[in-house]
Amino acid sequence: MYRIQINHMDLDQIAKSGQCFRFERKEGHEGIFSIAAAGNYVEAVKEEDSFLFSCEEEEFHRFWAGYFDLEADYGGYKSHVDSEDTYLREAVKWGWGVRILKQDLWEILITFLISQNNNITRIRNSVKKLCSQFGEEKKGKGLTLLADGSFMEEERIYHTFPTPQALKAAGSLGLSSMSLGYRDKYILSVAEFASEPEGNAWLMELLEADYNKAHEMLLKQYGIGKKVADCVCLFGLHHVGAFPIDTHVKQILESHYPQGFPLERYHGYAGILQQYMFYYKLNHVQTKESVPTL
């Protein structure tokens, strides 16, 4: 186990921020979160002024520190918010612990294809089904709370996110039982493409591309529109200047920024501020939706 102090981070807020679908509070385990990412697994809990992770220090700094974007200055981003922008300042105050995770490109590509005209609960369920059915079963370490208030490590079984080859092999028949609806054809198309050398090279090129080039490349893929392309850029490629506009963000812009959001003022990190507003909209401001739709 490894303990570390991290500022500007709240596990529950990140889990509810709509950017990750295998980062969730464990049922019946107060305060413990399970996180599966890029073939890795960890459980985490907040303890007073520090976080406890079910991994060793070497693994944390090799993978999870990057995943949580610990080198970025989130305090600096917040300090640059316009003092007269009361809505954004309130959103930042409300979602102070949200960070943009550095997630696996392939997983983000598939999960945000699933997200189209969908809600967070259904997305999580579809992703869980995909991983259980077509991912690789592995063993990891989790946290268990003891009677004396301390934690011990215990073995956990988890599933990795399915590879392009696994989803291609599943075919339309296999994917049709994953509660994907019309999105299954988009997923099968990109899985077939990414399974081939040309598609693998395309993924590698995406990782090296700047925002404009990556966005252009993504829009050429079947089933990917502007919103999904921006989500992939922000969450899968960590272009934190990307500013996805879904139904919630569109409502925010119409209500609070009728002349448009000041993207130039926040050039290079507008996507981080978008996440504060998105989180605030979903988790504080009451909307008509019973379940948030992406």
Side-chain angles (χ1 to χ4, degrees):
M1 293 184 288
Y2 179 58
R3 284 182 175 83
I4 183 173
Q5 290 184 334
I6 303 173
N7 295 323
H8 306 287
M9 186 167 94
D10 185 287
L11 296 173
D12 190 57
Q13 289 182 5
I14 294 173
K16 294 177 179 177
S17 66
Q19 63 175 301
C20 48
F21 303 100
R22 296 209 296 153
F23 184 134
E24 55 189 343
R25 183 186 293 271
K26 290 177 63 66
E27 292 184 13
H29 299 271
E30 183 64 31
I32 300 177
F33 290 79
S34 64
I35 309 160
N40 301 282
Y41 181 86
V42 76
E43 292 183 7
V45 66
K46 179 73 183 297
E47 287 189 311
E48 296 181 353
D49 63 345
S50 64
F51 292 88
L52 177 66
F53 291 87
S54 64
C55 63
E56 299 305 315
E57 181 176 1
E58 185 278 330
E59 179 187 338
F60 180 85
H61 288 289
R62 171 171 45 83
F63 179 78
W64 296 107
Y67 174 81
F68 285 108
D69 199 23
L70 295 192
E71 291 187 359
D73 181 11
Y74 280 77
Y77 296 140
K78 296 171 187 177
S79 70
H80 287 100
V81 171
D82 186 348
S83 61
E84 297 184 1
D85 189 336
T86 56
Y87 180 82
L88 183 54
R89 290 182 67 82
E90 183 65 19
V92 169
K93 180 181 178 180
W94 186 262
W96 64 272
V98 173
R99 305 177 76 91
I100 303 293
L101 304 174
K102 290 186 176 180
Q103 301 184 74
D104 178 72
L105 171 59
W106 173 247
E107 181 169 344
I108 288 297
L109 185 59
I110 297 302
T111 54
F112 277 92
L113 279 172
I114 296 172
S115 78
Q116 297 180 86
N117 299 308
N118 213 341
N119 66 59
I120 290 175
T121 299
R122 287 204 302 261
I123 299 166
R124 285 190 185 278
N125 289 338
S126 292
V127 171
K128 187 174 294 185
K129 286 181 180 180
L130 278 177
C131 295
S132 298
Q133 188 71 24
F134 305 117
E136 176 188 354
E137 184 176 286
K138 296 181 72 173
K139 293 180 180 179
K141 293 179 180 178
L143 298 172
T144 296
L145 178 64
L146 301 177
D148 63 2
S150 64
F151 290 90
M152 65 172 287
E153 288 184 351
E154 283 193 334
E155 183 177 279
R156 298 282 189 265
I157 301 297
Y158 70 101
H159 291 85
T160 63
F161 196 83
T163 63
Q165 293 77 14
L167 294 180
K168 176 184 176 182
S172 57
L173 183 61
L175 294 177
S176 66
S177 61
M178 297 292 107
S179 304
L180 301 170
Y182 67 88
R183 308 163 195 87
D184 58 0
K185 60 182 180 290
Y186 302 152
I187 292 169
L188 182 57
S189 175
V190 75
E192 290 174 340
F193 176 60
S195 297
E196 302 301 324
E198 179 186 357
N200 185 65
W202 178 80
L203 288 171
M204 294 301 102
E205 186 179 353
L206 266 179
L207 290 169
E208 300 297 326
D210 62 19
Y211 165 71
N212 289 327
K213 178 63 175 177
H215 197 268
E216 178 186 345
M217 291 172 64
L218 287 162
L219 287 177
K220 293 178 180 178
Q221 284 296 315
Y222 179 52
I224 296 181
K226 188 177 186 302
K227 191 267 288 192
V228 171
D230 271 325
C231 287
V232 174
C233 285
L234 180 57
F235 305 126
L237 296 169
H238 209 68
H239 293 307
V240 294
F243 193 85
I245 299 177
D246 73 335
T247 56
H248 294 287
V249 176
K250 184 178 180 181
Q251 290 169 5
I252 291 170
L253 298 180
E254 290 173 347
S255 298
H256 301 280
Y257 303 94
Q259 304 304 315
F261 188 76
L263 295 173
E264 286 302 315
R265 178 187 176 95
Y266 304 115
H267 179 73
Y269 60 98
I272 294 172
L273 303 181
Q274 185 266 18
Q275 270 291 277
Y276 292 134
M277 293 190 295
F278 185 83
Y279 175 84
Y280 182 59
K281 178 73 159 59
L282 262 64
N283 296 284
H284 177 67
V285 180
Q286 295 297 313
T287 64
K288 294 180 180 179
E289 296 92 345
S290 59
V291 182
T293 300
L294 299 184

